[in-house]
PDB file of all heavy atoms in Angstrom:
ATOM      1  N   VAL A  10       9.650 -11.643 -13.230  1.00 91.00           N
ATOM      2  CA  VAL A  10       8.144 -11.640 -13.331  1.00 91.00           C
ATOM      3  C   VAL A  10       7.600 -10.329 -12.766  1.00 91.00           C
ATOM      4  O   VAL A  10       7.819  -9.799 -11.735  1.00 91.00           O
ATOM      5  CB  VAL A  10       7.453 -12.857 -12.558  1.00 91.00           C
ATOM      6  CG1 VAL A  10       5.857 -12.723 -12.695  1.00 91.00           C
ATOM      7  CG2 VAL A  10       7.863 -14.055 -13.225  1.00 91.00           C
ATOM      8  N   ILE A  11       6.724  -9.515 -13.525  1.00 87.00           N
ATOM      9  CA  ILE A  11       6.095  -8.411 -13.091  1.00 87.00           C
ATOM     10  C   ILE A  11       4.641  -8.733 -13.192  1.00 87.00           C
ATOM     11  O   ILE A  11       3.995  -8.907 -14.183  1.00 87.00           O
ATOM     12  CB  ILE A  11       6.321  -7.200 -13.952  1.00 87.00           C
ATOM     13  CG1 ILE A  11       7.816  -6.919 -14.133  1.00 87.00           C
ATOM     14  CG2 ILE A  11       5.569  -5.983 -13.445  1.00 87.00           C
ATOM     15  CD1 ILE A  11       8.115  -5.782 -15.147  1.00 87.00           C
ATOM     16  N   PRO A  12       3.944  -8.797 -12.013  1.00 79.00           N
ATOM     17  CA  PRO A  12       2.466  -9.041 -12.036  1.00 79.00           C
ATOM     18  C   PRO A  12       1.690  -8.026 -12.740  1.00 79.00           C
ATOM     19  O   PRO A  12       2.066  -6.763 -12.607  1.00 79.00           O
ATOM     20  CB  PRO A  12       2.003  -8.953 -10.503  1.00 79.00           C
ATOM     21  CG  PRO A  12       3.392  -9.325  -9.713  1.00 79.00           C
ATOM     22  CD  PRO A  12       4.456  -8.758 -10.645  1.00 79.00           C
ATOM     23  N   MET A  13       0.831  -8.269 -13.490  1.00 79.00           N
ATOM     24  CA  MET A  13       0.012  -7.339 -14.240  1.00 79.00           C
ATOM     25  C   MET A  13      -1.085  -6.492 -13.397  1.00 79.00           C
ATOM     26  O   MET A  13      -1.296  -5.427 -13.529  1.00 79.00           O
ATOM     27  CB  MET A  13      -0.727  -7.997 -15.426  1.00 79.00           C
ATOM     28  CG  MET A  13       0.171  -8.394 -16.573  1.00 79.00           C
ATOM     29  SD  MET A  13       0.882  -7.013 -17.466  1.00 79.00           S
ATOM     30  CE  MET A  13      -0.450  -6.426 -18.453  1.00 79.00           C
ATOM     31  N   GLU A  14      -1.448  -7.245 -12.369  1.00 85.00           N
ATOM     32  CA  GLU A  14      -2.435  -6.754 -11.307  1.00 85.00           C
ATOM     33  C   GLU A  14      -1.825  -5.800 -10.500  1.00 85.00           C
ATOM     34  O   GLU A  14      -0.821  -6.309  -9.704  1.00 85.00           O
ATOM     35  CB  GLU A  14      -3.189  -7.850 -10.704  1.00 85.00           C
ATOM     36  CG  GLU A  14      -4.336  -7.408  -9.748  1.00 85.00           C
ATOM     37  CD  GLU A  14      -4.995  -8.375  -9.060  1.00 85.00           C
ATOM     38  OE1 GLU A  14      -4.681  -9.607  -9.387  1.00 85.00           O
ATOM     39  OE2 GLU A  14      -5.746  -8.095  -8.149  1.00 85.00           O
ATOM     40  N   VAL A  15      -2.132  -4.450 -10.316  1.00 90.00           N
ATOM     41  CA  VAL A  15      -1.525  -3.714  -9.383  1.00 90.00           C
ATOM     42  C   VAL A  15      -1.982  -4.039  -8.078  1.00 90.00           C
ATOM     43  O   VAL A  15      -3.176  -4.236  -7.743  1.00 90.00           O
ATOM     44  CB  VAL A  15      -2.010  -2.090  -9.649  1.00 90.00           C
ATOM     45  CG1 VAL A  15      -1.436  -1.265  -8.622  1.00 90.00           C
ATOM     46  CG2 VAL A  15      -1.428  -1.846 -10.999  1.00 90.00           C
ATOM     47  N   PRO A  16      -0.999  -4.343  -7.054  1.00 90.00           N
ATOM     48  CA  PRO A  16      -1.372  -4.720  -5.703  1.00 90.00           C
ATOM     49  C   PRO A  16      -2.237  -3.793  -4.955  1.00 90.00           C
ATOM     50  O   PRO A  16      -2.015  -2.518  -5.189  1.00 90.00           O
ATOM     51  CB  PRO A  16      -0.065  -5.161  -5.118  1.00 90.00           C
ATOM     52  CG  PRO A  16       0.846  -4.238  -5.835  1.00 90.00           C
ATOM     53  CD  PRO A  16       0.336  -4.078  -7.182  1.00 90.00           C
ATOM     54  N   THR A  17      -2.890  -4.253  -4.031  1.00 92.00           N
ATOM     55  CA  THR A  17      -3.619  -3.275  -3.131  1.00 92.00           C
ATOM     56  C   THR A  17      -3.197  -3.522  -1.622  1.00 92.00           C
ATOM     57  O   THR A  17      -2.700  -4.662  -1.304  1.00 92.00           O
ATOM     58  CB  THR A  17      -5.171  -3.542  -3.086  1.00 92.00           C
ATOM     59  OG1 THR A  17      -5.393  -4.852  -2.638  1.00 92.00           O
ATOM     60  CG2 THR A  17      -5.676  -3.428  -4.499  1.00 92.00           C
ATOM     61  N   LEU A  18      -3.246  -2.400  -0.852  1.00 92.00           N
ATOM     62  CA  LEU A  18      -2.928  -2.503   0.553  1.00 92.00           C
ATOM     63  C   LEU A  18      -3.607  -3.696   1.325  1.00 92.00           C
ATOM     64  O   LEU A  18      -3.117  -4.385   2.102  1.00 92.00           O
ATOM     65  CB  LEU A  18      -2.930  -1.254   1.203  1.00 92.00           C
ATOM     66  CG  LEU A  18      -2.108  -0.113   0.771  1.00 92.00           C
ATOM     67  CD1 LEU A  18      -2.287   1.248   1.575  1.00 92.00           C
ATOM     68  CD2 LEU A  18      -0.609  -0.554   0.808  1.00 92.00           C
ATOM     69  N   GLU A  19      -4.892  -3.639   1.053  1.00 89.00           N
ATOM     70  CA  GLU A  19      -5.786  -4.588   1.626  1.00 89.00           C
ATOM     71  C   GLU A  19      -5.372  -6.083   1.387  1.00 89.00           C
ATOM     72  O   GLU A  19      -5.375  -6.906   2.257  1.00 89.00           O
ATOM     73  CB  GLU A  19      -7.266  -4.504   1.171  1.00 89.00           C
ATOM     74  CG  GLU A  19      -8.344  -5.411   1.865  1.00 89.00           C
ATOM     75  CD  GLU A  19      -9.745  -5.048   1.429  1.00 89.00           C
ATOM     76  OE1 GLU A  19      -9.862  -4.274   0.516  1.00 89.00           O
ATOM     77  OE2 GLU A  19     -10.636  -5.765   1.905  1.00 89.00           O
ATOM     78  N   LYS A  20      -5.107  -6.310   0.125  1.00 89.00           N
ATOM     79  CA  LYS A  20      -4.710  -7.699  -0.379  1.00 89.00           C
ATOM     80  C   LYS A  20      -3.359  -8.056   0.248  1.00 89.00           C
ATOM     81  O   LYS A  20      -3.122  -9.206   0.614  1.00 89.00           O
ATOM     82  CB  LYS A  20      -4.708  -7.779  -1.867  1.00 89.00           C
ATOM     83  CG  LYS A  20      -4.360  -9.136  -2.400  1.00 89.00           C
ATOM     84  CD  LYS A  20      -4.377  -9.250  -3.936  1.00 89.00           C
ATOM     85  CE  LYS A  20      -4.144 -10.581  -4.317  1.00 89.00           C
ATOM     86  NZ  LYS A  20      -4.264 -10.685  -5.840  1.00 89.00           N
ATOM     87  N   MET A  21      -2.402  -7.085   0.302  1.00 89.00           N
ATOM     88  CA  MET A  21      -1.071  -7.325   0.772  1.00 89.00           C
ATOM     89  C   MET A  21      -1.010  -7.443   2.346  1.00 89.00           C
ATOM     90  O   MET A  21      -0.044  -8.008   2.876  1.00 89.00           O
ATOM     91  CB  MET A  21      -0.172  -6.284   0.457  1.00 89.00           C
ATOM     92  CG  MET A  21      -0.037  -6.142  -1.160  1.00 89.00           C
ATOM     93  SD  MET A  21       0.421  -7.661  -2.104  1.00 89.00           S
ATOM     94  CE  MET A  21       2.107  -7.825  -1.468  1.00 89.00           C
ATOM     95  N   LYS A  22      -2.121  -7.071   2.955  1.00 87.00           N
ATOM     96  CA  LYS A  22      -2.164  -7.120   4.513  1.00 87.00           C
ATOM     97  C   LYS A  22      -0.915  -6.510   5.112  1.00 87.00           C
ATOM     98  O   LYS A  22      -0.293  -7.083   5.976  1.00 87.00           O
ATOM     99  CB  LYS A  22      -2.308  -8.617   5.014  1.00 87.00           C
ATOM    100  CG  LYS A  22      -3.580  -9.246   4.367  1.00 87.00           C
ATOM    101  CD  LYS A  22      -3.635 -10.617   4.891  1.00 87.00           C
ATOM    102  CE  LYS A  22      -4.988 -11.227   4.341  1.00 87.00           C
ATOM    103  NZ  LYS A  22      -5.138 -12.764   4.733  1.00 87.00           N
ATOM    104  N   PHE A  23      -0.565  -5.279   4.727  1.00 92.00           N
ATOM    105  CA  PHE A  23       0.610  -4.527   5.173  1.00 92.00           C
ATOM    106  C   PHE A  23       0.254  -4.084   6.572  1.00 92.00           C
ATOM    107  O   PHE A  23      -1.012  -3.759   6.991  1.00 92.00           O
ATOM    108  CB  PHE A  23       0.930  -3.330   4.281  1.00 92.00           C
ATOM    109  CG  PHE A  23       1.597  -3.793   3.055  1.00 92.00           C
ATOM    110  CD1 PHE A  23       1.464  -2.999   1.781  1.00 92.00           C
ATOM    111  CD2 PHE A  23       2.449  -4.942   2.978  1.00 92.00           C
ATOM    112  CE1 PHE A  23       2.046  -3.426   0.679  1.00 92.00           C
ATOM    113  CE2 PHE A  23       3.084  -5.367   1.851  1.00 92.00           C
ATOM    114  CZ  PHE A  23       2.845  -4.587   0.661  1.00 92.00           C
ATOM    115  N   PRO A  24       1.273  -3.709   7.360  1.00 92.00           N
ATOM    116  CA  PRO A  24       0.961  -3.039   8.780  1.00 92.00           C
ATOM    117  C   PRO A  24       0.274  -1.728   8.521  1.00 92.00           C
ATOM    118  O   PRO A  24       0.260  -0.928   7.509  1.00 92.00           O
ATOM    119  CB  PRO A  24       2.400  -2.698   9.205  1.00 92.00           C
ATOM    120  CG  PRO A  24       3.388  -3.776   8.476  1.00 92.00           C
ATOM    121  CD  PRO A  24       2.672  -3.885   7.205  1.00 92.00           C
ATOM    122  N   GLU A  25      -0.512  -1.211   9.598  1.00 92.00           N
ATOM    123  CA  GLU A  25      -1.267  -0.050   9.520  1.00 92.00           C
ATOM    124  C   GLU A  25      -0.539   1.177   9.229  1.00 92.00           C
ATOM    125  O   GLU A  25      -1.090   1.991   8.422  1.00 92.00           O
ATOM    126  CB  GLU A  25      -2.015   0.115  10.942  1.00 92.00           C
ATOM    127  CG  GLU A  25      -3.003  -0.889  11.320  1.00 92.00           C
ATOM    128  CD  GLU A  25      -3.564  -0.582  12.653  1.00 92.00           C
ATOM    129  OE1 GLU A  25      -3.919   0.613  12.942  1.00 92.00           O
ATOM    130  OE2 GLU A  25      -3.749  -1.466  13.490  1.00 92.00           O
ATOM    131  N   ALA A  26       0.765   1.201   9.676  1.00 95.00           N
ATOM    132  CA  ALA A  26       1.476   2.524   9.441  1.00 95.00           C
ATOM    133  C   ALA A  26       1.529   2.783   7.859  1.00 95.00           C
ATOM    134  O   ALA A  26       1.700   3.980   7.453  1.00 95.00           O
ATOM    135  CB  ALA A  26       2.737   2.408  10.057  1.00 95.00           C
ATOM    136  N   ILE A  27       1.584   1.808   7.058  1.00 96.00           N
ATOM    137  CA  ILE A  27       1.921   1.987   5.677  1.00 96.00           C
ATOM    138  C   ILE A  27       0.688   2.724   5.000  1.00 96.00           C
ATOM    139  O   ILE A  27       0.886   3.650   4.151  1.00 96.00           O
ATOM    140  CB  ILE A  27       2.111   0.623   4.961  1.00 96.00           C
ATOM    141  CG1 ILE A  27       3.508   0.013   5.550  1.00 96.00           C
ATOM    142  CG2 ILE A  27       2.313   0.777   3.402  1.00 96.00           C
ATOM    143  CD1 ILE A  27       3.923  -1.202   4.838  1.00 96.00           C
ATOM    144  N   GLU A  28      -0.462   2.348   5.356  1.00 96.00           N
ATOM    145  CA  GLU A  28      -1.610   3.125   4.884  1.00 96.00           C
ATOM    146  C   GLU A  28      -1.633   4.566   5.287  1.00 96.00           C
ATOM    147  O   GLU A  28      -1.969   5.451   4.558  1.00 96.00           O
ATOM    148  CB  GLU A  28      -2.939   2.504   5.313  1.00 96.00           C
ATOM    149  CG  GLU A  28      -4.183   3.104   4.728  1.00 96.00           C
ATOM    150  CD  GLU A  28      -5.425   2.473   5.100  1.00 96.00           C
ATOM    151  OE1 GLU A  28      -5.474   1.435   5.780  1.00 96.00           O
ATOM    152  OE2 GLU A  28      -6.494   3.064   4.853  1.00 96.00           O
ATOM    153  N   ALA A  29      -1.186   4.766   6.635  1.00 96.00           N
ATOM    154  CA  ALA A  29      -1.065   6.129   7.085  1.00 96.00           C
ATOM    155  C   ALA A  29      -0.128   6.966   6.324  1.00 96.00           C
ATOM    156  O   ALA A  29      -0.271   8.066   6.129  1.00 96.00           O
ATOM    157  CB  ALA A  29      -0.558   6.153   8.532  1.00 96.00           C
ATOM    158  N   PHE A  30       0.985   6.284   5.816  1.00 98.00           N
ATOM    159  CA  PHE A  30       1.942   7.048   4.955  1.00 98.00           C
ATOM    160  C   PHE A  30       1.231   7.617   3.693  1.00 98.00           C
ATOM    161  O   PHE A  30       1.745   8.667   3.218  1.00 98.00           O
ATOM    162  CB  PHE A  30       3.065   6.122   4.583  1.00 98.00           C
ATOM    163  CG  PHE A  30       3.963   5.816   5.655  1.00 98.00           C
ATOM    164  CD1 PHE A  30       4.714   4.599   5.738  1.00 98.00           C
ATOM    165  CD2 PHE A  30       4.304   6.683   6.750  1.00 98.00           C
ATOM    166  CE1 PHE A  30       5.681   4.289   6.777  1.00 98.00           C
ATOM    167  CE2 PHE A  30       5.135   6.286   7.799  1.00 98.00           C
ATOM    168  CZ  PHE A  30       5.853   5.159   7.908  1.00 98.00           C
ATOM    169  N   THR A  31       0.360   6.871   3.114  1.00 97.00           N
ATOM    170  CA  THR A  31      -0.190   7.327   1.849  1.00 97.00           C
ATOM    171  C   THR A  31      -1.184   8.557   2.135  1.00 97.00           C
ATOM    172  O   THR A  31      -1.473   9.225   1.237  1.00 97.00           O
ATOM    173  CB  THR A  31      -1.186   6.275   1.320  1.00 97.00           C
ATOM    174  OG1 THR A  31      -2.348   5.952   2.118  1.00 97.00           O
ATOM    175  CG2 THR A  31      -0.363   4.970   1.128  1.00 97.00           C
ATOM    176  N   LYS A  32      -1.456   8.833   3.353  1.00 97.00           N
ATOM    177  CA  LYS A  32      -2.244  10.201   3.688  1.00 97.00           C
ATOM    178  C   LYS A  32      -1.422  11.381   3.855  1.00 97.00           C
ATOM    179  O   LYS A  32      -1.914  12.427   4.101  1.00 97.00           O
ATOM    180  CB  LYS A  32      -3.116   9.852   4.960  1.00 97.00           C
ATOM    181  CG  LYS A  32      -3.766   8.686   5.009  1.00 97.00           C
ATOM    182  CD  LYS A  32      -4.876   8.465   3.837  1.00 97.00           C
ATOM    183  CE  LYS A  32      -5.658   7.117   3.894  1.00 97.00           C
ATOM    184  NZ  LYS A  32      -6.447   6.937   2.720  1.00 97.00           N
ATOM    185  N   GLU A  33      -0.038  11.164   3.868  1.00 97.00           N
ATOM    186  CA  GLU A  33       0.895  12.247   4.138  1.00 97.00           C
ATOM    187  C   GLU A  33       0.692  13.182   2.913  1.00 97.00           C
ATOM    188  O   GLU A  33       0.515  12.847   1.756  1.00 97.00           O
ATOM    189  CB  GLU A  33       2.185  11.901   4.251  1.00 97.00           C
ATOM    190  CG  GLU A  33       2.605  10.944   5.525  1.00 97.00           C
ATOM    191  CD  GLU A  33       2.540  11.811   6.882  1.00 97.00           C
ATOM    192  OE1 GLU A  33       2.595  13.126   6.606  1.00 97.00           O
ATOM    193  OE2 GLU A  33       2.607  11.269   7.857  1.00 97.00           O
ATOM    194  N   SER A  34       0.815  14.544   3.120  1.00 96.00           N
ATOM    195  CA  SER A  34       0.874  15.547   2.031  1.00 96.00           C
ATOM    196  C   SER A  34       2.244  16.065   1.505  1.00 96.00           C
ATOM    197  O   SER A  34       2.389  16.570   0.489  1.00 96.00           O
ATOM    198  CB  SER A  34       0.031  16.676   2.463  1.00 96.00           C
ATOM    199  OG  SER A  34       0.597  17.284   3.575  1.00 96.00           O
ATOM    200  N   ARG A  35       3.195  15.748   2.446  1.00 97.00           N
ATOM    201  CA  ARG A  35       4.550  16.190   2.102  1.00 97.00           C
ATOM    202  C   ARG A  35       5.636  15.402   2.816  1.00 97.00           C
ATOM    203  O   ARG A  35       5.193  14.705   3.809  1.00 97.00           O
ATOM    204  CB  ARG A  35       4.815  17.589   2.396  1.00 97.00           C
ATOM    205  CG  ARG A  35       4.547  18.024   3.837  1.00 97.00           C
ATOM    206  CD  ARG A  35       4.731  19.429   4.061  1.00 97.00           C
ATOM    207  NE  ARG A  35       6.066  19.945   3.797  1.00 97.00           N
ATOM    208  CZ  ARG A  35       6.441  21.288   3.879  1.00 97.00           C
ATOM    209  NH1 ARG A  35       5.553  22.142   4.206  1.00 97.00           N
ATOM    210  NH2 ARG A  35       7.641  21.560   3.725  1.00 97.00           N
ATOM    211  N   GLY A  36       6.854  15.409   2.552  1.00 98.00           N
ATOM    212  CA  GLY A  36       7.833  14.658   3.138  1.00 98.00           C
ATOM    213  C   GLY A  36       8.516  13.502   2.300  1.00 98.00           C
ATOM    214  O   GLY A  36       8.123  13.351   1.194  1.00 98.00           O
TER     215      GLY A  36
END
């Protein structure tokens, strides 16, 4: 099964560090 709705960080309640990774510019 592939959900059609793209998940959000807020809905998934991921650890804080994961959102911080999305702010990285390289690496």
Side-chain angles (χ1 to χ4, degrees):
V10 174
I11 304 173
M13 290 291 285
E14 182 182 354
V15 179
T17 64
L18 293 184
E19 182 179 5
K20 184 176 181 179
M21 300 304 293
K22 297 180 181 178
F23 286 150
E25 290 180 44
I27 294 181
E28 182 177 354
F30 289 151
T31 67
K32 310 301 181 187
E33 295 284 354
S34 58
R35 59 184 293 178

